[in-house]
Short mmCIF file of all heavy atoms in Angstrom, two decimals:
data_model
loop_
_atom_site.label_atom_id
_atom_site.label_comp_id
_atom_site.label_asym_id
_atom_site.label_seq_id
_atom_site.Cartn_x
_atom_site.Cartn_y
_atom_site.Cartn_z
N ILE A 27 1.03 -4.20 3.57
CA ILE A 27 -0.33 -4.65 3.35
C ILE A 27 -0.34 -6.17 3.41
O ILE A 27 0.50 -6.84 2.83
CB ILE A 27 -0.88 -4.12 2.00
CG1 ILE A 27 -2.34 -4.54 1.82
CG2 ILE A 27 -0.02 -4.57 0.83
CD1 ILE A 27 -3.02 -3.80 0.67
N THR A 28 -1.29 -6.72 4.14
CA THR A 28 -1.40 -8.16 4.28
C THR A 28 -2.15 -8.76 3.11
O THR A 28 -2.72 -8.06 2.28
CB THR A 28 -2.11 -8.54 5.59
OG1 THR A 28 -3.49 -8.17 5.50
CG2 THR A 28 -1.48 -7.83 6.78
N SER A 29 -2.18 -10.08 3.06
CA SER A 29 -2.91 -10.76 2.01
C SER A 29 -4.40 -10.47 2.06
O SER A 29 -5.08 -10.55 1.04
CB SER A 29 -2.68 -12.28 2.11
OG SER A 29 -3.09 -12.78 3.37
N GLY A 30 -4.91 -10.12 3.24
CA GLY A 30 -6.31 -9.77 3.40
C GLY A 30 -6.63 -8.31 3.18
O GLY A 30 -7.80 -7.92 3.26
N GLY A 31 -5.61 -7.50 2.93
CA GLY A 31 -5.82 -6.09 2.64
C GLY A 31 -5.64 -5.15 3.81
O GLY A 31 -5.87 -3.94 3.66
N THR A 32 -5.23 -5.64 4.96
CA THR A 32 -4.97 -4.78 6.11
C THR A 32 -3.68 -3.99 5.88
O THR A 32 -2.66 -4.56 5.50
CB THR A 32 -4.86 -5.59 7.39
OG1 THR A 32 -6.08 -6.30 7.62
CG2 THR A 32 -4.60 -4.68 8.59
N THR A 33 -3.74 -2.69 6.13
CA THR A 33 -2.59 -1.82 5.87
C THR A 33 -2.05 -1.19 7.14
O THR A 33 -2.77 -1.00 8.12
CB THR A 33 -2.96 -0.70 4.88
OG1 THR A 33 -4.03 0.07 5.44
CG2 THR A 33 -3.40 -1.28 3.55
N ASN A 34 -0.77 -0.86 7.10
CA ASN A 34 -0.10 -0.12 8.15
C ASN A 34 0.85 0.87 7.51
O ASN A 34 1.47 0.57 6.49
CB ASN A 34 0.67 -1.04 9.09
CG ASN A 34 -0.21 -1.98 9.86
OD1 ASN A 34 -0.45 -3.11 9.44
ND2 ASN A 34 -0.71 -1.52 11.01
N TYR A 35 0.99 2.04 8.14
CA TYR A 35 1.83 3.09 7.61
C TYR A 35 2.70 3.68 8.70
O TYR A 35 2.30 3.76 9.87
CB TYR A 35 1.00 4.23 7.01
CG TYR A 35 0.15 3.83 5.84
CD1 TYR A 35 -1.16 3.42 6.02
CD2 TYR A 35 0.66 3.87 4.54
CE1 TYR A 35 -1.95 3.06 4.94
CE2 TYR A 35 -0.13 3.51 3.46
CZ TYR A 35 -1.43 3.11 3.67
OH TYR A 35 -2.21 2.76 2.60
N ALA A 36 3.88 4.12 8.32
CA ALA A 36 4.69 4.92 9.21
C ALA A 36 4.02 6.27 9.43
O ALA A 36 3.35 6.80 8.54
CB ALA A 36 6.09 5.13 8.62
N ASP A 37 4.19 6.83 10.62
CA ASP A 37 3.57 8.11 10.92
C ASP A 37 3.97 9.20 9.93
O ASP A 37 3.18 10.09 9.61
CB ASP A 37 3.92 8.55 12.34
CG ASP A 37 3.22 7.73 13.40
OD1 ASP A 37 2.22 7.07 13.08
OD2 ASP A 37 3.69 7.74 14.55
N SER A 38 5.18 9.14 9.45
CA SER A 38 5.70 10.17 8.57
C SER A 38 5.02 10.22 7.20
O SER A 38 5.13 11.22 6.50
CB SER A 38 7.21 10.00 8.38
OG SER A 38 7.50 8.73 7.83
N VAL A 39 4.32 9.15 6.84
CA VAL A 39 3.69 9.11 5.51
C VAL A 39 2.18 8.98 5.57
O VAL A 39 1.52 9.00 4.52
CB VAL A 39 4.27 7.96 4.66
CG1 VAL A 39 5.79 8.07 4.58
CG2 VAL A 39 3.85 6.60 5.21
N LYS A 40 1.61 8.86 6.74
CA LYS A 40 0.16 8.72 6.87
C LYS A 40 -0.56 9.92 6.26
O LYS A 40 -0.18 11.07 6.46
CB LYS A 40 -0.23 8.59 8.34
CG LYS A 40 0.09 7.25 8.95
CD LYS A 40 -0.36 7.19 10.41
CE LYS A 40 -0.06 5.84 11.02
NZ LYS A 40 -0.44 5.79 12.45
N GLY A 41 -1.59 9.62 5.49
CA GLY A 41 -2.35 10.65 4.82
C GLY A 41 -1.79 11.09 3.50
O GLY A 41 -2.46 11.80 2.74
N ARG A 42 -0.57 10.68 3.19
CA ARG A 42 0.08 11.06 1.94
C ARG A 42 0.37 9.86 1.04
O ARG A 42 0.33 9.99 -0.18
CB ARG A 42 1.39 11.80 2.22
CG ARG A 42 1.21 13.08 3.03
CD ARG A 42 2.51 13.87 3.12
NE ARG A 42 3.57 13.12 3.77
CZ ARG A 42 4.71 12.77 3.18
NH1 ARG A 42 4.96 13.13 1.92
NH2 ARG A 42 5.63 12.10 3.86
N PHE A 43 0.67 8.73 1.64
CA PHE A 43 0.99 7.52 0.89
C PHE A 43 -0.14 6.52 1.01
O PHE A 43 -0.81 6.43 2.06
CB PHE A 43 2.27 6.87 1.41
CG PHE A 43 3.54 7.64 1.13
CD1 PHE A 43 3.51 8.95 0.68
CD2 PHE A 43 4.76 7.03 1.34
CE1 PHE A 43 4.68 9.64 0.44
CE2 PHE A 43 5.94 7.71 1.11
CZ PHE A 43 5.90 9.02 0.65
N THR A 44 -0.34 5.74 -0.03
CA THR A 44 -1.32 4.66 -0.03
C THR A 44 -0.69 3.41 -0.60
O THR A 44 -0.09 3.45 -1.68
CB THR A 44 -2.56 5.02 -0.84
OG1 THR A 44 -3.18 6.20 -0.30
CG2 THR A 44 -3.58 3.88 -0.80
N ILE A 45 -0.80 2.31 0.12
CA ILE A 45 -0.29 1.04 -0.38
C ILE A 45 -1.46 0.22 -0.90
O ILE A 45 -2.51 0.13 -0.27
CB ILE A 45 0.50 0.29 0.70
CG1 ILE A 45 1.18 -0.95 0.11
CG2 ILE A 45 -0.36 -0.07 1.90
CD1 ILE A 45 2.22 -1.57 1.03
N LEU A 46 -1.27 -0.36 -2.06
CA LEU A 46 -2.29 -1.16 -2.72
C LEU A 46 -1.69 -2.49 -3.15
O LEU A 46 -0.48 -2.61 -3.33
CB LEU A 46 -2.85 -0.44 -3.95
CG LEU A 46 -3.46 0.94 -3.74
CD1 LEU A 46 -3.74 1.60 -5.08
CD2 LEU A 46 -4.72 0.83 -2.91
N ARG A 47 -2.56 -3.46 -3.35
CA ARG A 47 -2.10 -4.79 -3.72
C ARG A 47 -3.02 -5.38 -4.77
O ARG A 47 -4.24 -5.31 -4.66
CB ARG A 47 -2.07 -5.67 -2.47
CG ARG A 47 -1.58 -7.08 -2.67
CD ARG A 47 -1.33 -7.72 -1.32
NE ARG A 47 -0.95 -9.11 -1.43
CZ ARG A 47 -0.44 -9.83 -0.44
NH1 ARG A 47 -0.24 -9.27 0.75
NH2 ARG A 47 -0.14 -11.10 -0.64
N GLU A 48 -2.41 -5.98 -5.79
CA GLU A 48 -3.15 -6.68 -6.83
C GLU A 48 -2.69 -8.13 -6.79
O GLU A 48 -1.67 -8.50 -7.37
CB GLU A 48 -2.88 -6.05 -8.19
CG GLU A 48 -3.78 -6.57 -9.28
CD GLU A 48 -3.65 -5.78 -10.58
OE1 GLU A 48 -2.86 -4.82 -10.62
OE2 GLU A 48 -4.34 -6.13 -11.54
N ASN A 49 -3.45 -8.95 -6.10
CA ASN A 49 -3.02 -10.32 -5.82
C ASN A 49 -2.89 -11.18 -7.07
O ASN A 49 -2.03 -12.07 -7.13
CB ASN A 49 -3.99 -10.98 -4.84
CG ASN A 49 -3.89 -10.40 -3.45
OD1 ASN A 49 -2.82 -9.97 -3.02
ND2 ASN A 49 -5.01 -10.39 -2.73
N THR A 50 -3.74 -10.95 -8.06
CA THR A 50 -3.68 -11.77 -9.26
C THR A 50 -2.38 -11.58 -10.03
O THR A 50 -2.00 -12.43 -10.82
CB THR A 50 -4.86 -11.47 -10.18
OG1 THR A 50 -4.88 -10.07 -10.51
CG2 THR A 50 -6.17 -11.84 -9.51
N LYS A 51 -1.72 -10.46 -9.80
CA LYS A 51 -0.45 -10.17 -10.46
C LYS A 51 0.73 -10.18 -9.50
O LYS A 51 1.84 -9.84 -9.90
CB LYS A 51 -0.52 -8.82 -11.16
CG LYS A 51 -1.51 -8.77 -12.31
CD LYS A 51 -1.45 -7.43 -13.03
CE LYS A 51 -2.37 -7.41 -14.23
NZ LYS A 51 -2.31 -6.11 -14.95
N ASN A 52 0.49 -10.57 -8.24
CA ASN A 52 1.54 -10.58 -7.22
C ASN A 52 2.26 -9.24 -7.17
O ASN A 52 3.49 -9.18 -7.08
CB ASN A 52 2.54 -11.71 -7.48
CG ASN A 52 1.92 -13.08 -7.31
OD1 ASN A 52 0.96 -13.26 -6.56
ND2 ASN A 52 2.47 -14.06 -7.99
N THR A 53 1.49 -8.18 -7.20
CA THR A 53 2.05 -6.84 -7.31
C THR A 53 1.59 -5.96 -6.15
O THR A 53 0.42 -6.01 -5.75
CB THR A 53 1.64 -6.19 -8.63
OG1 THR A 53 2.11 -7.00 -9.72
CG2 THR A 53 2.23 -4.80 -8.76
N VAL A 54 2.50 -5.16 -5.64
CA VAL A 54 2.18 -4.17 -4.63
C VAL A 54 2.58 -2.80 -5.17
O VAL A 54 3.59 -2.66 -5.87
CB VAL A 54 2.88 -4.47 -3.29
CG1 VAL A 54 4.40 -4.39 -3.43
CG2 VAL A 54 2.39 -3.52 -2.20
N TYR A 55 1.78 -1.79 -4.84
CA TYR A 55 2.01 -0.44 -5.28
C TYR A 55 2.15 0.48 -4.07
O TYR A 55 1.54 0.26 -3.04
CB TYR A 55 0.86 0.08 -6.15
CG TYR A 55 0.53 -0.79 -7.33
CD1 TYR A 55 -0.44 -1.79 -7.22
CD2 TYR A 55 1.16 -0.62 -8.55
CE1 TYR A 55 -0.76 -2.59 -8.30
CE2 TYR A 55 0.85 -1.42 -9.63
CZ TYR A 55 -0.11 -2.40 -9.51
OH TYR A 55 -0.43 -3.19 -10.58
N LEU A 56 2.90 1.53 -4.25
CA LEU A 56 2.97 2.59 -3.26
C LEU A 56 2.67 3.91 -3.97
O LEU A 56 3.50 4.41 -4.73
CB LEU A 56 4.35 2.66 -2.60
CG LEU A 56 4.48 3.66 -1.45
CD1 LEU A 56 3.62 3.23 -0.26
CD2 LEU A 56 5.94 3.81 -1.02
N GLN A 57 1.47 4.43 -3.73
CA GLN A 57 1.07 5.70 -4.29
C GLN A 57 1.50 6.80 -3.33
O GLN A 57 1.08 6.82 -2.18
CB GLN A 57 -0.44 5.75 -4.50
CG GLN A 57 -0.96 4.74 -5.51
CD GLN A 57 -2.46 4.79 -5.66
OE1 GLN A 57 -3.20 5.18 -4.75
NE2 GLN A 57 -2.95 4.40 -6.84
N MET A 58 2.32 7.70 -3.82
CA MET A 58 2.88 8.76 -3.00
C MET A 58 2.42 10.11 -3.53
O MET A 58 2.55 10.39 -4.71
CB MET A 58 4.41 8.69 -3.01
CG MET A 58 4.96 7.34 -2.58
SD MET A 58 6.78 7.32 -2.54
CE MET A 58 7.13 7.50 -4.30
N SER A 59 1.90 10.93 -2.64
CA SER A 59 1.47 12.27 -2.99
C SER A 59 1.96 13.26 -1.95
O SER A 59 2.44 12.88 -0.89
CB SER A 59 -0.06 12.33 -3.12
OG SER A 59 -0.69 12.03 -1.88
#
């Protein structure tokens, strides 16, 4: 995920994983389902 919020995913995880970013905390998350 870029600083502007643009995301990219590997084909193997598309639709199942979500990447999120909280800039104020310099934190990135990977939600996996």
Side-chain angles (χ1 to χ4, degrees):
I27 183 168
T28 69
S29 58
T32 300
T33 59
N34 295 93
Y35 298 92
D37 288 341
S38 59
V39 306
K40 286 181 179 178
R42 300 188 299 118
F43 291 12
T44 301
I45 187 168
L46 303 170
R47 181 168 176 167
E48 190 171 0
N49 290 328
T50 57
K51 295 184 177 181
N52 294 333
T53 301
V54 64
Y55 306 92
L56 185 67
Q57 297 179 333
M58 304 182 293
S59 62

